[in-house]
Amino acid sequence: MKIKAQISMVMNLDKCIGCHTCSIACKNVWTNRQGAEYMYFNNVETKPGTGYPKHWENQAKWKGGWELKDGKLQLRSGSKSERLLKLFYHPEQPEMDDYYEPWTYDYESLLSSKRKKHQPVARPRSLITQKRMEIKWGPNWEDDLADGESVRQDINLKNMAGEITMEFHDLFMKYLPRVCNHCLNPACVAACPSGAIYKREEDGVVLVSQDGCRGWRHCIPACPYKKVYFNWKTNKAEKCIFCFPRLENGLPTICTDTCVGRLRYMGVLLYDMDKVKEAASEPEAGNIYHSVLDILLDPHDPAVIEAARKEGIPANWLEAAQHSPVYRLIKEWKIALPLHAEYRTLPMVWYVPPLSPITRRMEADVYLPEVHDMRIPLAYLAELFGAGNTGVVAQSLQKLLDMRLVMRCQETGEEIPQRLAEDVVVYKDMYRLLAIAKYKDRCNIPAGISAKSQDKLRELQGTCGYNCPGGC
């Protein structure tokens, strides 16, 4: 048993209001420079929809993630020899139009315009070519849009083979914030020909060495979540770095810190590295979720604590793992689920699936509907969070409904039903964390880094690795 520590994140989708505050904060901190105009390390999508970049979930097109071939785990992009043939030309490479061509407006024409018969217009101008352009797509083009031809192209709807017609009475939508998942089995790391992408030993954050990157761009299609980008100015790959300078000081990511809905939870997970390959090689995609739960270890187990100490995990990290909110949501209560587990990357950013109190076929005065009567179809949520396994999503939603039922009974004095799967105390703790938790309860991150990382930071000599305006 080789124990590693992983900084993980859980997002409660019931609390996301789609304000994009997280996206703007991340944009201003990490990608506000030339060559990164089109990048959003953090973006919020409206589901159903094609997403950002377009159709990022269509792995038949992008060949992202892993697959089982003859019982062995292999990159979808092919074997080493097949990828070697694509070294100088990769046909599954996303283009700028798949993201969007970033633009600004010609505000100077408004300021310097002379007296005219008609009001001057600030026309859109490309940030890439500096020429005038016509706006046809953007990172939030489908914001709050639950209908339309582009929405019907959602690959999850197509996988459901017409179960949802998206007629007016069937319309539904929900927000999906996305960042790099800092996976336990990252396809981008395996696909990089130069070895520039690596997973940090002490906290599991996946980073790109700007010195080692040679711009081969194999990491971009290999990532099934399309969270690795190419900087056209520096010819380097870039991605979400989980705000690791903040983590090293015991602070959460900037998207977590600025989240208006307080829907993000961050903490430490302990996992058995020796079982990662076995979990990713689970034959049934719908059971990968259970395989990941099996490799997540109980931080209160004396045997786990002893093994972790032998691996050099500091005491403050073990203490943080024992008080980790993400451990409770993922392993203890089993209400958080991974996004597209069928990609076999074992993502470490998980989601509490959304409830939808407005029902499809039931009366409007029903306070708590059944799981299968939700307006957001269970089958659609299973495509996102259960690899098609509706059982794991139904179990999560039922616990959330039971939590609301317990709190309602507590307020009204009604008798609490006996059918509950957990003790009443558990549901009260669940409510406290999901609904009214304070900052320190939602984020428990140990400060400090290992000696190896300190040596690496000294080598960087105070730079962040990116070409920031005016220096680092």
Side-chain angles (χ1 to χ4, degrees), residues 162-323:
E163 291 182 34
I164 303 176
T165 61
M166 293 304 291
E167 298 298 331
F168 181 77
H169 60 278
D170 284 333
L171 295 182
F172 64 93
M173 53 160 278
K174 202 65 182 177
Y175 302 113
L176 179 68
R178 294 202 304 117
V179 296
C180 170
N181 290 283
H182 299 275
C183 310
L184 298 184
N185 186 37
C188 58
V189 173
C192 180
S194 57
I197 306 184
Y198 63 98
K199 189 171 179 66
R200 292 219 307 185
E201 186 174 337
E202 62 273 14
D203 57 12
V205 176
V206 178
L207 300 175
V208 182
S209 169
Q210 297 294 289
D211 292 331
C213 181
R214 296 294 177 264
W216 296 114
R217 289 188 280 181
H218 277 232
C219 53
I220 297 171
C223 174
Y225 304 98
K226 293 297 168 285
K227 279 300 173 181
V228 187
Y229 304 89
F230 180 72
N231 187 309
W232 56 267
K233 180 69 173 179
T234 63
N235 293 329
K236 306 284 187 180
E238 297 184 14
K239 60 179 293 298
C240 159
I241 62 173
F242 235 26
C243 296
F244 74 85
R246 293 174 58 88
L247 298 181
E248 291 166 359
N249 287 279
L251 298 173
T253 59
I254 195 69
C255 57
T256 301
D257 216 355
T258 58
C259 178
V260 174
R262 300 180 179 180
L263 61 98
R264 300 178 188 236
Y265 302 80
M266 294 194 71
V268 178
L269 294 175
L270 300 179
Y271 69 95
D272 187 354
M273 187 177 179
D274 290 336
K275 294 184 178 180
V276 168
K277 184 178 180 180
E278 179 184 346
S281 302
E282 166 63 41
E284 291 293 331
N287 293 330
I288 295 178
Y289 162 73
H290 299 290
S291 299
V292 178
L293 289 184
D294 290 340
I295 69 175
L296 298 181
L297 304 174
D298 183 1
H300 301 280
D301 187 341
V304 172
I305 295 174
E306 182 64 26
R309 286 172 176 166
K310 291 181 180 179
E311 293 294 335
I313 298 178
N316 63 328
W317 280 72
L318 291 175
E319 183 180 355
Q322 293 170 351
H323 298 89

Side-chain angles (χ1 to χ4, degrees), residues 355-369:
L355 290 172
S356 45
I358 302 176
T359 59
R360 185 194 311 155
R361 295 181 297 273
M362 299 184 67
E363 296 81 1
D365 58 352
V366 174
Y367 181 76
L368 291 174

Side-chain angles (χ1 to χ4, degrees), residues 294-439:
D294 290 340
I295 69 175
L296 298 181
L297 304 174
D298 183 1
H300 301 280
D301 187 341
V304 172
I305 295 174
E306 182 64 26
R309 286 172 176 166
K310 291 181 180 179
E311 293 294 335
I313 298 178
N316 63 328
W317 280 72
L318 291 175
E319 183 180 355
Q322 293 170 351
H323 298 89
S324 172
V326 297
Y327 177 81
R328 305 188 78 184
L329 294 168
I330 294 174
K331 183 72 181 274
E332 189 175 331
W333 297 334
K334 296 182 177 62
I335 58 175
L337 303 171
L339 178 63
H340 287 299
E342 68 272 18
Y343 298 160
R344 302 181 182 275
T345 60
L346 310 188
M348 283 294 103
V349 173
W350 291 46
Y351 296 83
V352 177
L355 290 172
S356 45
I358 302 176
T359 59
R360 185 194 311 155
R361 295 181 297 273
M362 299 184 67
E363 296 81 1
D365 58 352
V366 174
Y367 181 76
L368 291 174
E370 296 296 328
V371 169
H372 293 276
D373 293 319
M374 293 289 182
R375 187 170 186 87
I376 303 178
L378 192 62
Y380 183 81
L381 291 177
E383 288 292 326
L384 285 173
F385 306 114
N389 187 345
T390 56
V392 296
V393 180
Q395 178 186 17
S396 174
L397 293 177
Q398 188 60 58
K399 287 187 178 181
L400 294 173
L401 284 173
D402 290 343
M403 176 194 70
R404 293 191 178 195
L405 178 62
V406 167
M407 300 311 298
R408 180 193 181 192
C409 291
Q410 183 176 347
E411 291 296 321
T412 61
E414 300 177 34
E415 184 177 354
I416 299 176
Q418 299 296 320
R419 62 168 178 79
L420 299 179
E422 305 284 352
D423 292 336
V424 173
V425 177
V426 173
Y427 290 110
K428 290 183 178 179
D429 289 343
M430 197 181 298
Y431 167 77
R432 192 173 296 111
L433 182 59
L434 291 176
I436 59 175
K438 300 297 183 182
Y439 183 85

